[in-house]
């Protein structure tokens, strides 16, 4: 089924305070994140949602690509103007992944887990990812676009070889097709709720929920940073959304960016 803005609006109506007042739907775009940013520049309100049926240049982090076939998955971006200081920028991604994971769990009853900072996993494979892009000027976040990709109805055959080892979909996990429109509506409603908590400085609620949903905390992790790799025990998330890890020599480090590879359960 195709996405229709009016249908999604009906499903979320009166249940949202900021997110989804404007929903723009496309058949095909290069990237919903790029469109979200353009719409904000054109004067669309904070909370504008962009959804596409297919992306031709879907983006991952650090210049990586997000495989975005037509008609199967969800590619959705939230274009917002957060009223929070830039030092809490990482929390925007954590807030988004908490919202998405909560919505997915409720709607599909699949035990989706979060891998720090932005991955959603089922059975150790990636089912979704988040790319947050933002424009910071001085002490203000002028604009942020949070792009979410969820593999919903891809079958094993739909998954290209390059990601077969690491990727899965909700359908593959549960052997069931899901409504992309319903899932989009659930994610928008949940995102609205958690985003309001972030704006109201209720950071503890977000971090606590993140820890509950996380498959990272309490695990040995290998972290690939731009200049080095470290192996450490992931212990917690701090107020700014950084991962607190304990190194093998007993010292602690706070990590705000990098790739986390889970090694083994402690
Ligand atoms: C992410 O990057 O996980 C962020 C993905 C964000 C995608 C959304 S879709 C809507 C919005 N518009 C965009 O253009 N982007 C956002 P990262 O952690 O860097 O992971 C990227 C890596 O995941 C790739 O290098 C592949 O190994 C793998 N990958 C690519 N496509 C995938 C897919 N569909 N499912 C699972 N893994 C995938």
């Amino acid at each position: 089924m195709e996405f229709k803005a009016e249908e999604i609006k009906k499903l979320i109506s009166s249940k949202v305070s900021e997110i989804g007042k404007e929903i723009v739907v496309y058949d095909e775009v290069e990237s919903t994140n790029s469109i979200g940013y353009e719409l904000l520049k054109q004067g669309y309100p904070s909370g504008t949602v962009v959804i596409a049926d297919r992306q031709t240049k879907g983006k991952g982090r650090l210049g990586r690509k997000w495989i975005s076939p037509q008609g199967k998955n969800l590619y959705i971006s939230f274009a917002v103007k957060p009223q929070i200081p830039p030092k809490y920028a990482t929390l925007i991604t954590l807030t988004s992944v908490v919202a998405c994971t909560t919505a997915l769990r409720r709607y599909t009853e699949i035990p989706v887990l979060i891998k720090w900072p932005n991955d959603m996993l089922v059975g150790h494979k990636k089912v979704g990812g988040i790319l947050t892009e933002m424009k910071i000027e001085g002490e203000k976040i002028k604009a942020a676009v949070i792009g979410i990709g969820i593999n919903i109805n891809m079958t094993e055959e739909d998954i290209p070889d390059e990601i077969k080892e690491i990727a899965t979909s909700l359908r593959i996990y549960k052997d069931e097709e899901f409504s992309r429109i319903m899932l989009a509506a659930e994610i928008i409603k949940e995102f609205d709720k958690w985003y309001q908590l972030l704006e109201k400085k209720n950071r503890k609620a977000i971090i606590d929920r993140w820890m509950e949903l996380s498959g990272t905390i309490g695990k040995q992790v290998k972290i690939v940073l731009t200049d080095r790799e470290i192996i450490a025990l992931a212990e917690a998330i701090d107020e700014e959304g950084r991962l607190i890890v304990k190194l093998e020599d007993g010292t602690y480090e706070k990590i705000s960016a990098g790739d986390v590879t889970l090694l083994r359960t402690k």
Side-chain angles (χ1 to χ4, degrees), residues 61 90 116-117 223 225 240-243 253-258:
R61 292 176 305 147
T90 307
W116 188 84
I223 302 173
L225 300 164
E240 293 176 24
R242 291 173 298 194
L243 187 67
E253 262 198 61
K254 288 182 172 185
I255 311 290
S256 45

Side-chain angles (χ1 to χ4, degrees), residues 30-34 55 57-62 64-69 73-77 118-119 126-131 146-151 154 162-163 166-168 259:
E30 287 194 348
S31 157
T32 53
N33 263 30
S34 312
Q55 295 185 121
K57 286 193 187 150
K59 298 187 273 189
R61 292 176 305 147
L62 308 167
R64 293 189 283 247
K65 72 173 176 189
W66 188 254
I67 291 165
S68 311
N73 300 331
L74 182 62
Y75 317 112
I76 183 168
S77 294
N118 68 331
D119 284 354
K126 185 153 164 166
V127 78
I130 298 190
L131 169 70
I146 301 118
I148 299 159
I150 314 266
N151 299 333
M154 280 207 290
E162 58 183 295
I163 56 164
I166 55 155
T168 190
D259 279 348

Side-chain angles (χ1 to χ4, degrees), residues 156-247:
E156 288 284 2
E157 297 75 60
D158 297 324
I159 300 188
D161 286 345
E162 58 183 295
I163 56 164
K164 259 217 157 77
E165 294 278 297
I166 55 155
T168 190
S169 74
L170 300 173
R171 174 174 173 177
I172 293 169
Y173 185 84
K174 211 171 174 187
D175 202 15
E176 184 181 328
E177 275 200 62
F178 294 97
S179 156
R180 292 186 299 155
I181 287 193
M182 293 297 285
L183 270 169
E186 289 300 314
I187 288 172
I188 294 168
K189 280 189 282 182
E190 203 64 33
F191 184 84
D192 183 68
K193 187 175 123 191
W194 290 96
Y195 184 74
Q196 298 316 315
L197 289 179
L198 178 67
E199 291 278 22
K200 287 184 193 130
K201 305 190 178 69
N202 199 342
R203 294 184 282 272
K204 188 171 180 310
I206 295 161
I207 288 162
D208 286 351
R209 181 70 176 147
W210 191 97
M211 301 259 284
E212 255 172 52
L213 296 170
S214 160
T216 303
I217 301 300
K219 300 257 171 72
Q220 287 286 135
V221 291
K222 180 172 90 180
I223 302 173
V224 183
L225 300 164
T226 43
D227 54 343
R228 69 208 153 101
E229 284 185 18
I230 54 177
I231 292 179
L233 176 69
E235 289 214 333
I237 290 287
D238 78 359
E239 241 231 338
E240 293 176 24
R242 291 173 298 194
L243 187 67
I244 302 171
V245 298
K246 187 178 181 185
L247 302 174

